[in-house]
Amino acid sequence: MTVSVSTQAPSSGSGHRQPDNLLEVNRLSLAFQTSRGSLKALRDVTLHVPKGSIVGVVGESGCGKSTLIYAVIKLLAANARYNGGQILFKGRDLLPMSLDQIRRIRGSEISMIFQDPMTALNPVHSIRRQMLDIQYRERINSNEKIQRAIAMLEKVGIVDAAGRLKNFPHHFSGGMRQRIAIAMALLSKPTLLMADEPTTALDATLEAQIIHRLRELQQEVNCSILFVSHHLGLVAEFCDRVVVMYAGEVVEEGTIRDIFHRAAHPYTKALLECDPAGIKEKTRFLPTISGDFPDLVNPPPGCIFQSRCRRVMDICAQRAPDLTRAAQGHVARCHLVSG
Ligand code: SF4
């Protein structure tokens, strides 16, 4: 499968590489070795995260969006195999780097916020201990590290941050734990923050508060964010650009306006129709995208979305579509898109 047009930063659309991209994933393919064979979890994935921007990655469960961000920092199961491509971070390819080199980048230049804050926080250590540990690379004394920790906890909205340092994760609510996890992720002033469904476990009010605070901190720290979510409304509010994934492929990429107001790919359109926030009439049944998800051990020839596409044509089963320019800075992987 070839890529005829690169996904680009908003300012370009020219088809040339952007020097101001913080992260460039170029034609990345990755598979998991299973008892059934090689499961092609990512195929020919290309995306760019411009400096200082927030890029959302959306798609149904199993589309590869979380696998993609874990692939960037090589935090994958032992049965994962990279099958080609590049992951350029500040122009350096992370793929050939050793685990030691990657570890030096993780937690300093690239930080991560996980879906469940208990995954990131150690339940048997106090917040004070964990916030000190995370600063182990800093050449400042413990007292200065504590002051930095308190300041960051206050920024994410922890009341009486100094007094609560002695507490353990279980002393905090889910929302407060996620705020602490965000504070820890930002303490190293990363240039890239990757967030994997960071508000999924929270109610709508807390979700809005945390996203609002994250946006403020992103501007303050001046980092870029790669934000994985199945929540389309949140992505529309929070992100600058959106990447739509289906069955391990990028099927569309563009600005918020491109994706939410002039989607070009039939999958993106179907996804938007299924968004509960967009349903106008009262109904007892939420719409779904009909058809079967393709088998990624034996992906079909042609378009990966053909078994569920309402616009499917003969050519779709014969030839895989390229990622094709729909408009400036807006691309889609579909034979219907002619540029
Ligand atoms: Fe549908 Fe064909 Fe476009 Fe695939 S290439 S999304 S099957 S119209």
Side-chain angles (χ1 to χ4, degrees):
M1 193 175 287
T2 57
V3 178
S4 62
V5 178
S6 294
T7 54
Q8 292 292 321
S11 56
S12 170
S14 63
H16 295 291
R17 185 177 147 186
Q18 288 286 294
D20 58 350
N21 283 326
L22 180 69
L23 177 73
E24 295 187 16
V25 177
N26 294 320
R27 307 191 64 177
L28 181 70
S29 294
L30 180 138
F32 292 102
Q33 305 309 312
T34 72
S35 55
R36 287 183 54 233
S38 172
L39 188 148
K40 288 94 183 163
L42 298 178
R43 293 179 314 288
D44 216 10
V45 167
T46 292
L47 68 86
H48 301 84
V49 180
K51 281 181 186 161
S53 73
I54 305 179
V55 176
V57 184
V58 300
E60 295 165 291
S61 297
C63 70
K65 52 191 192 300
S66 293
T67 303
L68 172 63
I69 59 170
Y70 291 110
V72 168
I73 50 169
K74 295 186 165 179
L75 208 58
L76 293 164
N79 63 341
R81 301 281 180 279
Y82 291 94
N83 290 329
Q86 278 184 319
I87 303 169
L88 297 177
F89 175 65
K90 297 180 179 174
R92 295 170 293 169
D93 192 357
L94 302 184
L95 260 193
M97 285 189 188
S98 68
L99 215 48
D100 272 353
Q101 289 174 302
I102 291 290
R103 283 196 186 112
R104 282 197 281 276
I105 292 172
R106 281 186 206 150
S108 56
E109 294 175 83
I110 302 178
S111 279
M112 182 93 179
I113 305 172
F114 296 91
Q115 186 177 123
D116 177 4
M118 285 308 272
T119 311
L121 300 175
N122 189 326
V124 299
H125 288 154
S126 68
I127 299 306
R128 180 183 192 278
R129 163 88 184 268
Q130 296 186 57
M131 297 212 72
L132 275 174
D133 286 351
I134 200 102
Q135 299 180 73
Y136 74 98
R137 291 188 181 95
E138 303 292 336
R139 296 185 185 282
I140 53 178
N141 64 38
S142 295
N143 194 37
E144 288 170 298
K145 288 178 183 175
I146 292 290
Q147 294 312 314
R148 284 187 78 220
I150 292 170
M152 190 54 85
L153 287 171
E154 285 172 348
K155 278 182 185 167
V156 296
I158 301 291
V159 178
D160 184 25
R164 302 218 62 184
L165 278 177
K166 62 180 182 303
N167 291 143
F168 288 74
H170 69 270
H171 290 127
F172 295 87
S173 66
M176 287 296 147
R177 283 199 288 261
Q178 195 56 296
R179 286 170 196 258
I180 294 167
I182 291 170
M184 287 177 70
L186 291 174
L187 212 46
S188 61
K189 292 207 165 68
T191 42
L192 177 63
L193 182 65
M194 299 203 292
D196 182 18
E197 308 256 14
T199 56
T200 296
L202 307 177
D203 64 46
T205 311
L206 273 178
E207 186 172 56
Q209 283 176 6
I210 286 185
I211 288 301
H212 183 67
R213 188 56 63 98
L214 196 53
R215 176 108 220 179
E216 286 174 351
L217 290 168
Q218 178 256 340
Q219 284 163 1
E220 200 176 312
V221 174
N222 193 26
C223 63
S224 303
I225 300 181
L226 191 55
F227 181 78
V228 165
S229 182
H230 65 274
H231 191 324
L232 296 175
L234 205 61
V235 168
E237 198 178 319
F238 181 57
C239 299
D240 303 306
R241 294 184 67 75
V242 189
V243 173
V244 183
M245 289 190 70
Y246 178 73
E249 293 182 4
V250 170
V251 295
E252 186 160 6
E253 196 254 347
T255 62
I256 292 294
R257 184 166 285 277
D258 291 333
I259 301 300
F260 288 90
H261 296 284
R262 42 184 180 245
H265 197 283
Y267 175 64
T268 311
K269 291 177 185 173
L271 204 58
L272 292 170
E273 284 168 17
C274 294
D275 182 13
I279 298 168
K280 305 255 181 315
E281 288 175 22
K282 198 171 174 181
T283 173
R284 296 180 63 194
F285 302 100
L286 289 174
T288 54
I289 305 173
S290 61
D292 295 327
F293 199 76
D295 177 7
L296 296 185
V297 173
N298 296 298
C303 175
I304 195 70
F305 188 55
Q306 61 186 279
S307 63
R308 303 172 77 188
C309 183
R310 290 183 301 216
R311 306 281 308 271
V312 63
M313 307 170 284
D314 289 344
I315 190 178
C316 305
Q318 295 156 12
R319 192 163 65 80
D322 297 330
L323 210 47
T324 303
R325 175 182 158 134
Q328 181 168 312
H330 179 193
V331 291
R333 196 183 288 275
C334 175
H335 290 306
L336 293 168
V337 177
S338 55

